[in-house]
Amino acid sequence: MCPLALTIANSGFAIGSLILPPILTVCIQQYNWKIAFIVLGGISSTGLFAAATFVSSNNDNNDDDSDNVEVRKTMIGILKNVKFMVFFVSNGIATTALFGPSTFLPDLMQEKGLSSKEIAVCIIVIGVGNLFGRLLCGAAASKFNNQVVWIFGISLLGFGVTSTAMILAKSLHIFMVLSVLVGLFSGGYFGLFTAVVSYYLGKKQLPIGYGMISATTGISLTAGMPLAGFVSDSYGNENGSFVFGGCMMFFAAMMVFVNLVVDFRRRGTCARQTGNEKYNEQNGYIETTHL
């Protein structure tokens, strides 16, 4: 599947990144962070319904036992795909902390002395950067299709690092630079998400695999936002959410890179094989071809 087409299709998320933080800020100011996170958790849980539509779409024409057996085989094949399962766990870790830093960002900027207008500009810059990050990373992944996981992993790592670096910023100019970087890296992460699932599973397994990922994302976000708030509350200020989010995304990125290192080593092993052996890139093993 074309990564650029996928990033264009889901680029509407960038609009949400412009709307959601101010709404949550108002909610926190009017009520408290617990109520705000409950609201966000309820919104995030809609991912469960999206996951159900992906799975059900794969079962629309499955009216007999043979088709049900085929679905079960597909599920077993997905669960046996080690590289996808590593990515599956990595995604669950990363999504527990995605929106914590962005939720507390306005308060952090206010504590650093920025005005409401300057805060609004930074939030808009993040949203615009997110949109361009999706398109740029999608174009890069389309041109270098075999490197889509590398681009995704670097985006996730950059997202975590630049989010954490927000707590070190002391002026509007630094916040602006970091806002651009957060937008670009977050755009690469969100934009290439589906492309990575497709890369590991292929077209046949994509609906069920993406449904699994969507369900996990909904659960992780629902649990992750209160957890981020708890960490910040224990930490004593908003910095806790940024440190928590950065650490979780860094660890998730390292898991993605583990897959890439294993791929690299196996390709090296394959290059030393002779004649009728080659590396199966999707499933992660060396297979023998008969001439």
Side-chain angles (χ1 to χ4, degrees):
M1 301 179 70
C2 179
L4 181 57
L6 292 172
T7 53
I8 292 175
N10 63 25
S11 61
F13 184 90
I15 299 175
S17 68
L18 292 172
I19 299 174
L20 191 59
I23 291 177
L24 287 175
T25 300
V26 172
C27 191
I28 292 174
Q29 291 174 348
Q30 294 295 321
Y31 302 100
N32 54 53
W33 65 263
K34 295 180 180 179
I35 299 298
F37 284 167
I38 289 174
V39 172
L40 183 58
I43 296 173
S44 301
S45 64
T46 57
L48 297 172
F49 298 99
T53 62
F54 271 90
V55 176
S56 63
S57 67
N58 197 66
N59 288 317
D60 286 342
N61 298 320
N62 292 344
D63 298 326
D64 53 39
D65 292 339
S66 62
D67 289 331
N68 290 329
V69 170
E70 186 65 26
V71 172
R72 286 195 293 271
K73 288 182 178 179
T74 301
M75 282 291 299
I76 292 172
I78 291 174
L79 295 175
K80 287 184 177 180
N81 189 324
V82 178
K83 290 192 294 183
F84 173 75
M85 294 309 297
V86 170
F87 171 71
F88 179 81
V89 175
S90 170
N91 171 76
I93 293 172
T95 51
T96 58
L98 286 181
F99 294 125
S102 63
T103 302
F104 286 110
L105 184 58
D107 290 335
L108 177 68
M109 291 179 173
Q110 190 173 25
E111 286 186 0
K112 298 287 187 176
L114 271 66
S115 66
S116 298
K117 183 178 180 180
E118 291 171 338
I119 293 172
V121 170
C122 289
I123 298 298
I124 292 174
V125 168
I126 291 176
V128 174
N130 184 281
L131 177 59
F132 278 99
R134 290 168 185 264
L135 298 177
L136 290 173
C137 289
S142 294
K143 185 173 182 179
F144 307 102
N145 198 264
N146 291 333
Q147 308 302 323
V148 62
V149 183
W150 275 106
I151 300 172
F152 174 85
I154 293 171
S155 297
L156 176 57
L157 181 61
F159 188 14
V161 171
T162 52
S163 294
T164 307
M166 284 287 188
I167 64 177
L168 303 176
K170 296 182 179 180
S171 67
L172 175 61
H173 294 94
I174 297 176
F175 271 116
M176 288 290 289
V177 171
L178 289 175
S179 295
V180 171
L181 294 176
V182 167
L184 291 174
F185 284 127
S186 64
Y189 171 78
F190 290 113
L192 294 179
F193 180 81
T194 310
V196 175
V197 178
S198 177
Y199 178 86
Y200 282 137
L201 296 182
K203 184 178 180 180
K204 182 179 179 181
Q205 296 178 329
L206 178 61
I208 295 179
Y210 191 74
M212 292 171 57
I213 290 283
S214 298
T216 305
T217 299
I219 295 172
S220 297
L221 288 174
T222 302
M225 293 306 298
L227 181 58
F230 174 77
V231 171
S232 290
D233 197 43
S234 301
Y235 202 84
N237 54 41
E238 291 80 8
N239 292 355
S241 178
F242 289 86
V243 174
F244 170 74
C247 290
M248 296 297 281
M249 285 187 274
F250 176 82
F251 185 68
M254 291 302 100
M255 294 185 69
V256 173
F257 289 129
V258 165
N259 269 346
L260 292 168
V261 170
V262 171
D263 271 352
F264 181 78
R265 294 187 64 181
R266 285 180 173 171
R267 287 194 183 98
T269 301
C270 178
R272 293 190 295 269
Q273 304 298 317
T274 57
N276 63 339
E277 293 182 342
K278 68 176 183 178
Y279 180 64
N280 186 305
E281 188 170 9
Q282 177 176 324
N283 298 311
Y285 56 81
I286 295 175
E287 64 179 9
T288 301
T289 58
H290 299 284
L291 300 178

